[in-house]
Amino acid sequence: MIAEPNTASNLPSQKENAVHDETAPESAVQNGSSVRNGNLKTPSVVDDWVEAYKQDRNVALLDLINFFIQCSGCQGMVTAEMFQSLHKKDVMRKMTETFDEETGLQYKKFMAYPWILTVTWPVDTDNKDYPLIRTGPYWKKFKANFCEFIAVLVQQCQCNILYDSYLMDTIISLLTGLADSMVRAFRHTSTLAAMKLLTAVVSVHLNLDVNKHNAERLYEVEKKRTSGKRTNYRLDQLERKRKEYERKLLEIQNMMNAIFKGTFLNRYRDVIPEIRATCIEEIGSWIKTYPDGFLNDSYLKYIGWMLYDKQAEVRLKCLLGLQGIYSRKELVSRMDLFTSRFKDRIVSMPLDKDHEVAVQAMKLLMLMSQNCEDVLSTEDCETLYQFVYTTHRPLAVAAGEFLYKRLLSHEGDEEVQPEGGGKFGASTDRLKRLISFFLESELHKHVAYLIDSLWDWAGKFLKDWECMTTLLLKNAEEDGEALSDAHESALIEIILATVREAAEGHPPVGRGAAKKILSVKEKKIQLEDCTKITEHFIMVLPQLLAKYSTDAQKVANLLQIPQYYDLDVYRMEHLRKHLDALLREVKDIVAKHSDMSVLEASSRTYYILCSEEIAIYSQVDRARTQLIDELMGQLNQLLDGFWQKEEGFCTDAGEISQMHSALRRVAAFHNAHDLTKWNLYDKTLRLLVFEMEHGSLPVLMILPALQCMYFSLLWQLTAVSENSPKETLFTLRRELRCFSQICMCFLHHKEKDVREKAFMILCDWLLILSHQDSNNNEEAVGLLDYLPSTSLQEKLLLFIQKHVFMEEEEESKDLTEEEDRKDESCKLDDLHKKRSLLAAYCKLIVYNVVEMSAAAEIYKYYVKTYNDFGDIIKETLSKTRHNNKIQSTKTLILCLQQLFQTHAESQDSSSSVDFHSASFTNMKELARRFSLTFGWDQVKSRESVAMIHKEGIEFAFQGATGVGGKCLPPNLSFLLIISEFSNKLLKPDKRLVYAYLQRYIAEPLPCRGDEWQPLIWYRNSLLANEDEESSVLGSSGELSPVGTSKMSSFKRKLSNGSLPVTSQTEAEGKAPDLQCSSQLASAEGKRRKRLKSREMHLQEHLPFLCPGGLQRRYCKDEIKTEDVSKKSQAEDTTEDVDVDVVSADQDS
């Protein structure tokens, strides 16, 4: 609310900071509601206010002041007193912002000429929620209306009252005073208003400048005319108008300087990033709108400095402002000093951690490259080109534009035809530049990313497959500039990538979260591209395959193109001859090559073309059958020769190579085609059984034979139907068991490749058998279901431990640089194989093929092998927890228990556990990592964490002997391990776990030495935030009152992984407080009813913490105290449970 101004005669007689309870004028409410709701048009509101100002400017200005206060979200009141009524010394004393303890109100006094304003508001108003930062469409509209109101206000006032030396002085002093407030809402709102005010004033300045120039031109024209008095009168009129414009321009310039110096210079470095962003956004607008006044280094430096801001929002506003400047060539010439000073910073910003900042930085560099000559060096450009390979697609597309316009596309390419280039001259030249860039970047496996980056800018060029294939089919005799072998390989990869991009219509894997949903227009373009691809490559692909039939890499890439065909195009009769040519070439390629990538591509080509829905099925099926007959004929001939030899073993390397090639060809086709009628199972079974008995077959024969047998069984399993006879099912079951035995035997093979292949096949095989449905044939499921026995599970786990987690001893050798590079490559390949083996086994755990407890052995290596296998182990833990939270939790605690037992066995039985040993520290670190996997949602993980503490407590006190349980439990140190999970317990659950722990503690407790320290530290971790507890354990083993600082100290030490050591002097100093027995009994006596009520609460929420048959170590007097009436127990329980529930709500 706002009060009328106080004159000299009616100054307030009450306290200086008193709040006046006058009501605000009605128009103030209208202003605020129109901006907030947008139900009135802003020009009409401003017109009403201008009329009110002309009638009584004081009331109208106070109305406007109140409007700005309301828009800040302040629910307080505003009072005003005339500046003329006060002495200068009193004025300076009033410029304060403070808190009045008597009234509980906060107030700010500042000058808004000709008044001193006092804004009073409740203290809780100073929060982080005010209109400008609220989210949602309503508040977004509010901000837009607020900015529009200021712009319209200046526009409507520019003809008269803007220059009355009263309105703008008051508004500027108001906004400047509020911008210095410690209250964020005032500071943010007034800064935004001041910046928008200056933007509006700049527009007025531009209009005045235009009018002044027009008046000057008219004056010069009239001056040249000599027509007597009338002309002289006209000259005088134009002269007065020109001087009036100059006066107004001077006033406007003073207003601009006042706002800039009073608000911008103080707020562009504000601690609030939104305020800094507002300042930078507006100064960019001023420079672009009024370059004659702002485009100089005095203003540009602020944008340059803010490029280093810590907040991405501010950096983004800087880049957007600079884009508006660098996009205009006439302004770039005046940016030389700024460009030289901040170019390096801008070039580095595509590496920004914020994606949007990186994208806008790349776009700015694109503008700088276009409009600034030689501003980017060759090294800068080469660095920026590499961003086409980034996984973030918007940045890659922006880099693709930079690459295309800077390197690939030159002006005049379409008009200038290179000599000898023919009709594809320009495209050929551009294509060669693209190939050269791709080869020089040395990132050959990322061609799909390169094409995707350029697709939006060079789609037409990249779809020119006719030009690409023409360039490939050129002969060196015809054109002396034929491509080299490396360039041909790169071009074929580019062709495949462009075909895939056009046919699929979405980015490659790894660039984009999901497949793009295509619009109707995009789907139409996609279908047109598929038709274009098919019609072109149906004719050209056989020629390319014929030319490169001996090059495995090129052929493998070319054979992937048919999978993107629109096969309906083959309906046209004149294209059938091209199909025959393609099938002939593929058949020849299969006969020539034994490379697996070529064979798999050939097999997939037949699979794509053998679709039963298309017209060419019969033609392709005949060709496929003929090819497989030939392959099986070659294999049978080789096998017959092999078995006819003495002892069934051939030593000829040539025969081994032929057998290897034949088996690989058959295996590649058996992967995609059903070859059951050729009885491949019996042929490979005989080979593998021979290897089991004699162990003399070469690896080159074992691996493809094992693969063939695996595929054969898969096809038989797929063929099981609802009507399959029992004889077939029993035969298949016998074959399945036989194959599993062979794989188990090969797990111990002398050759590493055979062992790994057998393990991978066996894991996949077990996963398939345990989840197959056999086409709803329940009898088949029962007969063919196969779960691994305990023995097999142990063998699989032993294989992982031996061949994945155990490091092989390396011999130190002096290697050359080339040998060292090859050695690193071999190590990397070996790591990939190990990761595949571990992932295959972890899938068995996740899908419940093997017992989940087997994961405990895997989790042991989580910390030790975190860099190599941490992601796989963590994902396994996450999946198993999703399947069964309790069983997964038991697996975690089992892992820690096994590690603890191994650690205890390695220690000297006569000595205590060494808390500082490497193995114990590793256990604590592993427990800490396990704790982190539960995340921040304590409610979600409540049951699991409580289970860990329950199992851990039981394990820690397992095996405790002696009279009254006073003997030290052998596993007591395990409490230190599970204390890492205490911070994941909710506060009510900490009390429940503490109550559960008390059952295992004998009374009185012998508190001598450091052997009981784990119990002390564990209890402290549970009681760290329990202010209501009357006593906790001391640092040297006694039970004495300890303050909160002591508990916090223990908590910090435990969280840092270090254990406090109590010196002998400290122990002696605390000797008078060692009456632990009586203190424990007293404390337990006071908490007896509360513990019972917690047990009832525990049974309701965490029942597994209260097993019925649990052995409790209560003293005789404790047992007697439990003999209370059921009625009183129920009352106590109800009362205490209510208390616990309330505290749980407060904690949450």
Side-chain angles (χ1 to χ4, degrees):
M1 302 179 68
I2 201 158
E4 295 295 334
N6 296 314
T7 61
S9 61
N10 62 354
L11 286 173
S13 59
Q14 60 240 61
K15 270 177 54 174
E16 187 176 89
N17 63 333
V19 178
H20 296 258
D21 195 15
E22 286 97 354
T23 59
E26 182 66 23
S27 59
V29 179
Q30 290 178 356
N31 280 340
S33 62
S34 64
V35 171
R36 286 192 297 272
N37 302 325
N39 51 4
L40 293 176
K41 293 185 177 180
T42 304
S44 64
V45 174
V46 174
D47 288 340
D48 293 342
W49 183 87
V50 171
E51 291 300 323
Y53 181 86
K54 291 177 180 179
Q55 295 176 9
D56 189 337
R57 64 181 186 180
N58 287 336
V59 173
L61 271 177
L62 291 173
D63 179 20
L64 188 61
I65 292 169
N66 192 56
F67 163 75
F68 283 115
I69 300 300
Q70 285 184 355
C71 290
S72 299
C74 176
Q75 301 300 321
M77 289 183 282
V78 182
T79 58
E81 49 190 329
M82 295 300 292
F83 163 64
Q84 290 88 342
S85 65
L86 301 172
H87 297 291
K88 185 175 182 181
K89 186 180 297 184
D90 296 332
V91 173
M92 298 307 296
R93 181 170 54 84
K94 286 177 176 290
M95 303 298 108
T96 59
E97 181 173 347
T98 184
F99 170 67
D100 187 358
E101 295 183 358
E102 293 185 15
T103 62
L105 298 174
Q106 189 163 352
Y107 68 92
K108 176 179 178 63
K109 285 178 178 282
F110 61 96
M111 178 176 293
Y113 186 86
W115 300 290
I116 293 178
L117 299 178
T118 303
V119 183
T120 310
W121 69 93
V123 178
D124 58 0
T125 302
D126 187 16
N127 55 30
K128 295 184 178 180
D129 183 24
Y130 53 93
L132 287 186
I133 63 171
R134 290 175 186 163
T135 57
Y138 178 86
W139 296 108
K140 185 177 181 181
K141 185 177 182 181
F142 165 82
K143 182 177 180 180
N145 291 337
F146 179 70
C147 297
E148 182 189 4
F149 175 84
I150 297 172
V152 173
L153 177 65
V154 174
Q155 182 182 3
Q156 300 292 76
C157 298
Q158 64 178 330
C159 296
N160 41 35
I161 62 176
L162 192 67
Y163 311 101
D164 64 355
S165 299
Y166 193 79
L167 171 64
M168 291 301 291
D169 289 351
T170 303
I171 295 177
I172 292 173
S173 58
L174 167 72
L175 297 179
T176 303
L178 288 177
D180 288 334
S181 174
M182 292 183 293
V183 181
R184 172 178 175 176
F186 288 155
R187 206 165 65 249
H188 189 181
T189 307
S190 59
T191 301
L192 175 63
M195 296 299 99
K196 293 298 181 181
L197 182 66
L198 181 49
T199 301
V201 170
V202 167
S203 299
V204 174
H205 187 284
L206 292 174
N207 293 333
L208 287 173
D209 197 43
V210 172
N211 293 335
K212 176 190 170 186
H213 285 297
N214 292 337
E216 289 177 346
R217 286 200 304 270
L218 286 174
Y219 180 81
E220 293 297 329
V221 171
E222 289 292 335
K223 190 175 181 181
K224 292 179 181 180
R225 296 172 59 186
T226 56
S227 59
K229 295 181 179 180
R230 177 179 259 179
T231 305
N232 292 334
Y233 171 77
R234 178 65 173 164
L235 282 175
D236 293 340
Q237 187 181 25
L238 292 174
E239 180 67 18
R240 285 194 301 272
K241 186 175 291 188
R242 184 178 64 82
K243 289 182 179 180
E244 181 183 356
Y245 286 141
E246 289 179 352
R247 179 184 61 81
K248 289 183 177 180
L249 281 171
L250 182 60
E251 290 188 24
I252 291 293
Q253 192 66 44
N254 292 334
M255 296 177 195
M256 292 164 55
N257 291 334
I259 299 174
F260 185 84
K261 294 178 180 178
T263 305
F264 180 88
L265 290 182
N266 294 327
R267 298 278 68 84
Y268 86 96
R269 296 174 298 177
D270 197 281
V271 294
I272 306 302
E274 291 89 346
I275 297 177
R276 300 199 301 272
T278 298
C279 293
I280 295 303
E281 181 180 14
E282 294 306 315
I283 195 176
S285 173
W286 306 334
I287 294 174
K288 184 179 178 181
T289 306
Y290 184 29
D292 292 338
F294 289 96
L295 187 55
N296 56 65
D297 298 323
S298 299
Y299 296 98
L300 286 170
K301 64 183 180 183
Y302 300 111
I303 298 181
W305 291 342
M306 290 296 103
L307 288 172
Y308 297 89
D309 196 276
K310 293 183 178 179
Q311 294 296 323
E313 180 184 4
V314 182
R315 299 194 299 271
L316 182 61
K317 296 298 182 183
C318 293
L319 294 171
L320 293 175
L322 290 173
Q323 286 178 17
I325 300 171
Y326 278 101
S327 62
R328 297 169 57 181
K329 282 191 175 182
E330 68 274 13
L331 302 182
V332 171
S333 59
R334 300 157 66 178
M335 299 280 292
D336 292 342
L337 183 59
F338 177 88
T339 302
S340 61
R341 170 66 179 81
F342 295 103
K343 185 203 75 171
D344 292 340
R345 170 59 182 162
I346 298 173
V347 170
S348 68
M349 292 186 76
L351 292 170
D352 197 284
K353 63 181 180 180
D354 185 85
H355 289 318
E356 186 60 25
V357 173
V359 172
Q360 298 304 327
M362 184 62 71
K363 291 181 178 179
L364 174 59
L365 288 165
M366 180 70 248
L367 294 173
M368 293 173 66
S369 174
Q370 288 178 333
N371 298 327
C372 302
E373 295 182 1
D374 302 328
V375 66
L376 297 177
S377 65
T378 305
E379 292 76 13
D380 294 334
C381 292
E382 289 177 354
T383 301
L384 297 174
Y385 292 156
Q386 300 305 315
F387 284 97
V388 296
Y389 296 108
T390 186
T391 55
H392 183 59
R393 192 173 191 274
L395 177 57
V397 171
E401 179 188 11
F402 184 84
L403 172 65
Y404 179 71
K405 294 182 178 179
R406 178 90 183 185
L407 183 66
L408 302 181
S409 177
H410 296 315
E411 293 184 3
D413 272 358
E414 300 297 333
E415 292 79 11
V416 179
Q417 300 290 339
E419 185 178 353
K423 65 176 182 177
F424 303 115
S427 297
T428 301
D429 185 53
R430 196 178 302 168
L431 194 58
K432 288 181 178 179
R433 289 198 294 268
L434 177 61
I435 295 171
S436 299
F437 167 76
F438 175 57
L439 293 176
E440 291 169 2
S441 64
E442 298 181 357
L443 293 170
H444 307 300
K445 295 181 180 180
H446 297 76
V447 64
Y449 278 18
L450 172 62
I451 297 303
D452 182 58
S453 302
L454 293 169
W455 196 255
D456 292 351
W457 308 104
K460 183 179 179 181
F461 155 64
L462 293 175
K463 293 178 184 178
D464 193 354
W465 295 295
E466 185 179 357
C467 171
M468 298 179 188
T469 53
T470 301
L471 192 59
L472 282 174
L473 293 173
K474 276 185 179 180
N475 294 323
E477 294 79 10
E478 299 176 5
D479 186 1
E481 298 181 359
L483 299 177
S484 64
D485 182 70
H487 282 68
E488 288 178 339
S489 298
L491 181 53
I492 291 174
E493 291 185 41
I494 290 173
I495 291 174
L496 177 60
T498 55
V499 168
R500 182 187 295 116
E501 186 85 17
E504 294 181 349
H506 58 79
V509 176
R511 179 177 283 180
K515 289 187 177 181
K516 178 182 177 183
I517 299 177
L518 301 179
S519 63
V520 176
K521 182 179 179 181
E522 289 173 334
K523 287 182 179 178
K524 181 180 178 182
I525 294 174
Q526 182 185 17
L527 293 175
E528 292 175 353
D529 288 339
C530 285
T531 303
K532 182 180 176 182
I533 290 168
T534 308
E535 291 176 349
H536 177 70
F537 283 98
I538 277 178
M539 296 180 288
V540 174
L541 185 59
Q543 302 175 40
L544 293 173
L545 292 175
K547 181 175 181 179
Y548 300 109
S549 60
T550 57
D551 192 315
Q553 180 185 358
K554 295 174 184 175
V555 167
N557 287 326
L558 289 172
L559 284 174
Q560 296 182 49
I561 295 177
Q563 64 182 295
Y564 304 106
Y565 279 3
D566 179 9
L567 297 178
D568 290 334
V569 176
Y570 274 116
R571 295 177 184 272
M572 293 178 280
E573 290 294 332
H574 69 280
L575 295 177
R576 294 294 180 91
K577 61 179 182 180
H578 298 293
L579 177 61
D580 291 333
L582 175 62
L583 295 175
R584 283 197 306 271
E585 294 299 334
V586 174
K587 181 179 179 182
D588 292 342
I589 288 170
V590 171
K592 291 179 181 178
H593 292 275
S594 62
D595 184 86
M596 209 61 190
S597 61
V598 176
L599 296 175
E600 288 178 350
S602 304
S603 175
R604 182 167 180 78
T605 300
Y606 276 102
Y607 176 78
I608 295 295
L609 298 176
C610 271
S611 178
E612 296 182 2
E613 293 81 12
I614 59 177
I616 60 174
Y617 170 73
S618 58
Q619 182 180 355
V620 180
D621 184 53
R622 285 195 302 271
R624 178 182 62 177
T625 304
Q626 181 182 0
L627 173 61
I628 296 175
D629 283 337
E630 293 180 4
L631 294 178
M632 291 304 300
Q634 295 173 5
L635 179 61
N636 291 333
Q637 184 178 358
L638 291 171
L639 286 175
D640 291 342
F642 175 78
W643 295 120
Q644 289 175 3
K645 299 225 176 208
E646 293 184 0
E647 299 181 358
F649 183 72
C650 60
T651 56
D652 187 1
E655 293 183 5
I656 294 176
S657 177
Q658 292 179 12
M659 182 74 74
H660 168 67
S661 299
L663 286 170
R664 282 169 71 93
R665 293 187 183 102
V666 173
F669 274 83
H670 207 356
N671 187 10
H673 307 273
D674 186 4
L675 309 184
T676 305
K677 64 181 181 180
W678 281 274
N679 195 21
L680 195 59
Y681 174 83
D682 292 336
K683 297 178 175 61
T684 53
L685 175 63
R686 187 178 178 185
L687 277 176
L688 296 178
V689 170
F690 178 83
E691 169 62 19
M692 291 174 60
E693 295 174 352
H694 298 84
S696 55
L697 284 181
V699 178
L700 295 177
M701 293 175 60
I702 299 174
L703 295 179
L706 196 61
Q707 196 76 47
C708 285
M709 190 174 184
Y710 174 55
F711 290 146
S712 178
L713 290 174
L714 284 180
W715 281 107
Q716 292 183 54
L717 193 63
T718 306
V720 173
S721 64
E722 189 174 354
N723 301 321
S724 297
K726 284 189 177 181
E727 294 77 10
T728 303
L729 296 177
F730 278 112
T731 303
L732 180 56
R733 181 183 182 183
R734 184 175 61 254
E735 293 175 351
L736 296 180
R737 300 297 188 271
C738 178
F739 180 69
S740 299
Q741 292 296 325
I742 292 174
C743 290
M744 290 173 59
C745 177
F746 284 168
L747 290 179
H748 306 285
H749 199 275
K750 60 183 179 180
E751 294 291 341
K752 178 182 177 182
D753 292 340
V754 176
R755 293 195 302 266
E756 293 177 349
K757 190 68 173 180
F759 182 85
M760 292 294 293
I761 289 179
L762 186 58
C763 288
D764 291 343
W765 189 235
L766 292 174
L767 188 62
I768 292 170
L769 291 180
S770 61
H771 289 78
Q772 49 90 23
D773 57 5
S774 296
N775 297 322
N776 300 320
N777 189 339
E778 296 182 1
E779 184 179 8
V781 172
L783 289 173
L784 302 179
D785 190 29
Y786 181 74
L787 289 176
S789 62
T790 304
S791 174
L792 177 55
Q793 293 186 37
E794 292 176 353
K795 289 181 180 180
L796 293 174
L797 180 58
L798 184 62
F799 184 91
I800 288 293
Q801 291 176 320
K802 183 177 180 181
H803 298 289
V804 175
F805 293 119
M806 286 189 179
E807 298 181 358
E808 300 177 359
E809 297 183 0
E810 299 181 3
E811 299 179 2
S812 57
K813 298 180 181 179
D814 295 332
L815 303 176
T816 62
E817 184 177 353
E818 182 67 23
E819 292 174 341
D820 186 60
R821 190 182 300 111
K822 290 182 179 179
D823 185 57
E824 288 296 327
S825 178
C826 291
K827 289 181 179 178
L828 189 60
D829 292 340
D830 188 54
L831 176 61
H832 287 319
K833 291 180 180 179
K834 288 183 177 181
R835 286 175 59 84
S836 299
L837 294 173
L838 179 60
Y841 181 74
C842 287
K843 280 194 293 185
L844 299 182
I845 298 174
V846 169
Y847 290 101
N848 299 318
V849 179
V850 301
E851 296 292 336
M852 193 181 294
S853 58
E857 295 295 332
I858 304 297
Y859 296 159
K860 292 178 183 179
Y861 300 94
Y862 182 47
V863 176
K864 184 179 179 181
T865 62
Y866 184 79
N867 292 334
D868 294 337
F869 311 114
D871 56 336
I872 299 175
I873 298 176
K874 187 176 181 180
E875 184 66 16
T876 304
L877 200 158
S878 175
K879 293 292 186 182
T880 54
R881 183 175 295 158
H882 178 75
N883 295 339
N884 190 328
K885 288 195 295 185
I886 297 301
Q887 190 60 36
S888 175
T889 302
K890 289 183 177 180
T891 305
L892 290 183
I893 198 68
L894 176 63
C895 170
L896 296 173
Q897 290 172 356
Q898 291 176 350
L899 285 174
F900 183 85
Q901 290 174 336
T902 303
H903 169 77
E905 292 172 359
S906 64
Q907 299 288 316
D908 187 359
S909 58
S910 60
S911 62
S912 59
V913 177
D914 184 7
F915 299 146
H916 301 284
S917 64
S919 59
F920 194 85
T921 303
N922 290 337
M923 273 191 292
K924 280 181 63 65
E925 175 63 18
L926 181 61
R928 188 184 72 83
R929 296 285 186 94
F930 286 163
S931 175
L932 293 176
T933 61
F934 287 105
W936 294 101
D937 192 349
Q938 291 178 307
V939 176
K940 185 178 180 180
S941 59
R942 182 182 189 185
E943 191 176 4
S944 299
V945 176
M947 173 65 74
I948 288 178
H949 285 275
K950 171 190 175 294
E951 298 283 343
I953 291 171
E954 293 177 356
F955 178 76
F957 288 94
Q958 188 178 25
T961 58
V963 181
K966 297 182 180 179
C967 183
L968 180 72
N971 300 333
L972 188 65
S973 301
F974 191 73
L975 293 176
L976 277 179
I977 305 299
I978 62 172
S979 67
E980 295 291 341
F981 297 90
S982 296
N983 63 337
K984 294 298 180 182
L985 284 169
L986 293 170
K987 288 182 181 179
D989 294 346
K990 284 187 177 182
R991 294 193 291 268
L992 298 176
V993 172
Y994 177 78
Y996 189 76
L997 175 66
Q998 292 300 104
R999 301 174 182 177
Y1000 289 88
I1001 301 176
E1003 301 175 9
L1005 176 68
C1007 302
R1008 296 186 300 274
D1010 293 337
E1011 61 271 10
W1012 292 96
Q1013 286 285 0
L1015 174 60
I1016 299 167
W1017 290 321
Y1018 180 58
R1019 291 186 60 170
N1020 282 338
S1021 71
L1022 297 176
L1023 300 175
N1025 296 317
E1026 293 293 324
D1027 296 332
E1028 74 275 4
E1029 295 294 343
S1030 61
S1031 64
V1032 293
L1033 286 169
S1035 60
S1036 61
E1038 71 279 3
L1039 284 167
S1040 59
V1042 181
T1044 307
S1045 60
K1046 277 286 185 184
M1047 292 185 285
S1048 301
S1049 174
F1050 276 113
K1051 188 175 180 180
R1052 286 195 300 272
K1053 291 176 181 178
L1054 282 173
S1055 64
N1056 293 333
S1058 61
L1059 302 175
V1061 180
T1062 306
S1063 63
Q1064 184 177 359
T1065 306
E1066 292 175 340
E1068 291 174 358
K1070 297 176 181 178
D1073 298 323
L1074 288 176
Q1075 305 297 330
C1076 60
S1077 301
S1078 61
Q1079 291 180 12
L1080 179 61
S1082 174
E1084 290 303 317
K1086 293 178 182 179
R1087 289 194 293 267
R1088 185 60 54 210
K1089 292 183 179 180
R1090 190 168 183 80
L1091 288 178
K1092 293 176 190 173
S1093 66
R1094 286 174 185 165
E1095 290 175 16
M1096 298 294 293
H1097 183 65
L1098 180 66
Q1099 291 174 357
E1100 180 181 353
H1101 294 281
L1102 301 172
F1104 51 80
L1105 280 175
C1106 298
L1110 182 65
Q1111 295 294 328
R1112 303 183 181 183
R1113 296 185 176 89
Y1114 289 137
C1115 298
K1116 293 181 179 180
D1117 56 322
E1118 296 173 355
I1119 298 175
K1120 290 178 182 179
T1121 59
E1122 291 184 359
D1123 188 16
V1124 295
S1125 65
K1126 295 183 179 179
K1127 181 177 180 181
S1128 61
Q1129 182 178 359
E1131 292 175 354
D1132 293 339
T1133 301
T1134 304
E1135 178 184 355
D1136 289 334
V1137 168
D1138 289 341
V1139 173
D1140 288 338
V1141 171
V1142 171
S1143 64
D1145 294 339
Q1146 292 173 347
D1147 295 340
S1148 61

